[in-house]
Amino acid sequence: MPVASPVDFATYGDYTVTPPTGPANSPPGRFRGRLTADGSSGWPAEPGRYHLYVSLACPWAHRSIIVRALKGLEDVISMSVLDPVRDGRGWAFRDGPGHTADPVNDFAVLRDAYDATEPGYDGHVSVPVLWDRETGTIVTNNYPDLTLDLGSAFDKWAVPLDLYPEPLRPDIDALNDRIYTTVNKGVYRCGFVRSQGAYDRAVTSVFATLDELEERLATRRFLFGDQLTEADVRLYVTLARFDAVYAPHLRVNLRRLADYPVLWAYARDLYEIPAFGGTTDLDHIRRHYYRTQPGLNPSRIVPAGPLPDFTAPHGRGPRFVPGGGVR
């Protein structure tokens, strides 16, 4: 299978995002097809039809990877992982540790999928991408909708786990909006803003929300009690990267995650669930951030640490088993 040539910053330059304030302001997904169990959306849930293109480094893609695993859809929706290091060509398919060539279309770079769907595509090339084998096009690259659809449309073949229960949806949406604005995006604002005042506001906002979450999780196992939800998935992907890259690399360093006894235990509790811990790759995460953001790390040297120990006992109860409560 063809693959992209090795990363070459001298020839291709750095991958850039417009506007130039980093991933916090990356544009929303242009392709917004929705998967439905009955096919009423035009994209029916069918085993073997769809393929996920992802990066283990990207938190937005990590959400989809986690939900796919939580729902037990590994044999229903195939998946391939891109090289975490991007030069000016963007996300690319290469053989390497934890990433491979494209087994579905023999694309060399992910932009090929966008061009196949919309010839001459001139927008942002992002992950995750859900590809439809039948039509040979992208269904969606809109990550908020994708996890909701993966969590519900394939229930006929999935683990019985409702991550977005109807009675809790208004509360989940409200908490997700706050976490997205102040934490998921907030860490990037700390790293990519261009003034002291903007940085001060961003870092204050991140830790104000983390302080609130520390208090909230002191009285419940997950964000909505004993029930694992979409909100936990969305928070985890930031916590998993916090001490390893966000604190040292993006200057989100007022406190470490490890300085929050409850939040740190909560993150380890989630990590113990294979869908979370088994999809968290700190090597991909470090190489992506430190090698592809030269404005923050001109040397592109990837540091050896920090090495947060997510396997340490968390003391929050028996291991949670998706579809089966705890064990």
Side-chain angles (χ1 to χ4, degrees):
M1 291 183 285
V3 294
S5 59
V7 172
D8 187 343
F9 296 110
T11 300
Y12 298 104
D14 297 308
Y15 185 76
T16 58
V17 176
T18 302
T21 48
N25 290 320
S26 297
R30 182 179 296 186
F31 305 103
R32 299 193 173 197
R34 298 298 301 268
L35 298 167
T36 49
D38 62 5
S40 58
S41 64
W43 305 103
E46 296 175 359
R49 176 168 174 170
Y50 301 102
H51 184 80
L52 265 175
Y53 290 124
V54 299
S55 165
L56 300 180
C58 173
W60 320 118
H62 195 184
R63 295 179 180 184
S64 300
I65 301 168
I66 290 170
V67 172
R68 171 179 175 266
L70 281 172
K71 295 290 290 187
L73 297 174
E74 292 92 334
D75 294 331
V76 176
I77 302 169
S78 56
M79 185 179 81
S80 54
V81 178
L82 292 133
D83 187 345
V85 182
R86 294 184 297 182
D87 58 23
R89 292 169 289 179
W91 297 110
F93 297 94
R94 299 183 184 93
D95 287 314
H99 55 90
T100 64
D102 173 19
V104 176
N105 295 296
D106 289 338
F107 292 145
V109 294
L110 189 59
R111 177 169 289 279
D112 293 340
Y114 283 75
D115 286 335
T117 303
E118 183 181 307
Y121 178 82
D122 62 355
H124 179 50
V125 175
S126 63
V127 287
V129 164
L130 185 70
W131 178 264
D132 178 27
R133 287 182 170 89
E134 184 170 305
T135 62
T137 59
I138 293 172
V139 178
T140 183
N141 68 333
N142 195 48
Y143 58 87
D145 291 339
L146 180 53
T147 53
L148 296 177
D149 292 352
L150 293 178
S152 61
F154 292 87
D155 281 352
K156 182 177 178 180
W157 304 276
V159 169
L161 176 67
D162 187 356
L163 294 168
Y164 194 49
E166 183 76 38
L168 294 177
R169 287 181 186 179
D171 293 331
I172 291 174
D173 291 344
L175 184 59
N176 281 346
D177 286 345
R178 176 160 173 75
I179 290 172
Y180 176 68
T181 301
T182 61
V183 178
N184 298 145
K185 290 177 63 175
V187 294
Y188 292 106
R189 290 197 180 100
C190 292
F192 289 92
V193 291
R194 297 178 174 180
S195 72
Q196 185 67 53
Y199 167 77
D200 291 342
R201 289 189 293 273
V203 78
T204 298
S205 180
V206 169
F207 286 98
T209 301
L210 292 182
D211 289 347
E212 292 175 13
L213 293 171
E214 174 82 355
E215 184 175 348
R216 181 188 184 100
L217 287 163
T219 60
R220 63 194 81 190
R221 184 164 187 183
F222 303 121
L223 289 170
F224 286 90
D226 291 331
Q227 185 164 7
L228 188 72
T229 69
E230 174 84 10
D232 297 292
V233 174
R234 296 188 181 200
L235 176 58
Y236 172 82
V237 295
T238 298
L239 298 185
R241 291 156 175 77
F242 202 91
D243 286 2
V245 293
Y246 293 154
H249 181 59
L250 299 182
R251 303 187 293 261
V252 197
N253 54 9
L254 187 61
R255 286 179 288 279
R256 302 171 304 161
L257 176 61
D259 295 325
Y260 285 96
V262 175
L263 267 175
W264 176 220
Y266 162 80
R268 301 198 309 277
D269 188 8
L270 292 176
Y271 184 91
E272 187 179 45
I273 303 169
F276 289 85
T279 63
T280 302
D281 192 314
L282 291 180
D283 172 63
H284 277 225
I285 290 167
R286 284 197 181 88
R287 288 195 288 125
H288 171 70
Y289 284 92
Y290 283 103
R291 292 202 63 199
T292 63
Q293 294 174 349
L296 300 179
N297 185 38
S299 70
R300 302 190 197 274
I301 293 172
V302 181
L307 298 172
D309 183 8
F310 283 96
T311 65
H314 52 75
R316 290 179 68 81
R319 181 171 65 89
F320 180 88
V321 178
V326 296
R327 179 184 300 165

